[in-house]
Amino acid sequence: MPDYLDDLRLAHVLADAADAATTDRFKALDLKVETKPDMTPVTEADKAAEELIRGHLSRARPRDAILGEEYGVEGTGPRRWVIDPIDGTKNYVRGVPVWATLISLMEAGEGGFQPVVGVVSAPALGRRWWAAKGHGAFSGRSLTKASRLQVSRVSKLSDASLAYSSLSGWEEQGRLDGFLDLTREVWRTRAYGDFWPYMMVAEGAVDMCAEPELSLWDMAATAIVVTEAGGTFTGLDARPGPHSGNAAASNGLLHDELLGYLNQRY
C-alpha cells in the first residue's frame, strides 16, 4: 500500500501558502466580497488561496487532477486533489476566526474516489489537523511537533456532546423533528459549525456531529481525519465517506443512534 507521506508533506506546503494568503487579508477593511450564483459569498482571499494551491500542484503533481470550490475540475486520472480554499467564508467575512483551508488527496478505488490524505488548517485559531491513510490523524504546529488524535469512548447518548452548524437545513429537509429529539437525548449541544466539529470529534472533545447539506470539498479532508482518528464518517444514508451530499461523524460507538434520529421522521 502506498504510504502517502510525500503527498502529506506536500499538502502541508500547500496549506502554508494558503495560510499566508488568507491571514494577510483577514479583517482587511478593503476586502472584496462577491455573491456567487448559489447566493453564498466568495472573497478575493478564497480565489487567491485556490489559485496559489493550484499553481503549486501544477508544478509538483502535474499529472494529478484538481477539484476546487472556486474553479471547478481540472485534469483527469486516478488521483484528484480536492480544495476548499476557505471553509467558513461567512465567518471570514465577519471577522470570526473559525475558518480553515481544506486540502485532500483522493484516489480512485472501490466505490469511487476515496480520501487518502487530508489537511485542515485554521491559522486564525492557530490550529492544524491532518491525516494520511494508514498513518493515523494528528494535530499540531508541524509534522514534527504533533499529537496523535483519538476519538472518544463515550457510548451513551446521555453522556454525549453533539455539535452542529444550524437548524435551518434540517428544517428544509424535513429532518428537524428527529434532530431536536436527538438534542433532547444528549448531554450537551453546541453549534460550532463548518470544519471545527469534525476536528473535535477526531480529538475526542465532541462525540458526534452532522450537517444536512455539504459539497465534496467540505468533507474530503475532514473525513480522512475523523476515520484515521478511529471515528466513523458517513452520509446520512450511512454510505461511508464524503459522497452523500451531507455528513454524519462520530466516535463510531454512537453512529447508529445518530443516524437513527436524523432519519427517523424523514
Side-chain angles (χ1 to χ4, degrees):
M1 184 181 75
D3 66 16
Y4 301 111
L5 294 182
D6 283 344
D7 295 309
L8 179 61
R9 283 188 282 268
L10 174 60
H12 276 274
V13 172
L14 302 176
D16 289 342
D19 285 356
T22 54
T23 302
D24 182 62
R25 299 300 291 155
F26 184 49
K27 296 187 178 180
L29 296 179
D30 61 343
L31 181 71
K32 295 178 182 177
V33 184
E34 303 171 8
T35 300
K36 293 191 287 190
D38 63 0
M39 301 308 293
T40 60
V42 59
T43 72
E44 61 185 89
D46 291 83
K47 293 180 178 180
E50 185 167 325
E51 287 170 352
L52 270 174
I53 293 170
R54 285 176 178 269
H56 277 283
L57 285 172
S58 68
R59 294 185 293 273
R61 296 289 190 275
R63 296 182 179 179
D64 293 352
I66 304 171
L67 168 64
E69 179 177 10
E70 307 308 334
Y71 295 107
V73 178
E74 178 182 345
T76 60
R79 289 165 47 99
R80 177 184 294 173
W81 294 85
V82 180
I83 305 158
D84 189 342
I86 299 179
D87 183 56
T89 298
K90 292 177 183 177
N91 284 346
Y92 187 90
V93 169
R94 290 296 303 272
V96 178
V98 183
W99 49 270
T101 295
L102 312 184
I103 301 168
S104 178
L105 172 63
M106 302 185 75
E107 278 199 345
E110 292 185 16
F113 282 87
Q114 298 298 333
V116 294
V117 167
V119 171
V120 176
S121 190
L125 295 176
R127 300 294 306 279
R128 184 178 290 186
W129 302 262
W130 62 88
K133 184 178 179 180
H135 290 277
F138 296 84
S139 177
R141 295 286 184 179
S142 67
L143 282 166
T144 56
K145 297 180 180 179
S147 300
R148 187 155 190 161
L149 303 180
Q150 181 65 49
V151 297
S152 74
R153 301 301 299 169
V154 172
S155 60
K156 295 180 180 179
L157 284 181
S158 58
D159 296 329
S161 180
L162 166 69
Y164 63 100
S165 288
S166 67
L167 297 178
S168 58
W170 300 108
E171 185 172 32
E172 290 167 5
Q173 290 194 5
R175 300 180 190 262
L176 183 59
D177 288 343
F179 179 83
L180 292 176
D181 285 347
L182 176 62
T183 67
R184 297 181 184 108
E185 294 298 320
V186 299
W187 168 62
R188 191 169 190 251
T189 63
R190 286 292 184 271
Y192 299 106
D194 300 305
F195 67 94
W196 207 8
Y198 302 95
M199 298 302 94
M200 287 191 281
V201 168
E203 292 177 342
V206 167
D207 307 303
M208 53 186 177
C209 64
E211 289 182 89
E213 187 174 4
L214 293 168
S215 297
L216 179 60
W217 48 76
D218 298 314
M219 298 183 281
T222 59
I224 184 72
V225 174
V226 168
T227 54
E228 283 293 320
T232 300
F233 190 107
T234 72
L236 299 178
D237 57 3
R239 180 184 179 188
H243 299 288
S244 300
N246 46 49
S250 76
N251 63 7
L253 301 174
L254 298 164
H255 208 77
D256 288 345
E257 289 180 281
L258 171 62
L259 293 179
Y261 274 95
L262 297 179
N263 290 309
Q264 69 176 0
R265 303 185 189 181
Y266 181 60

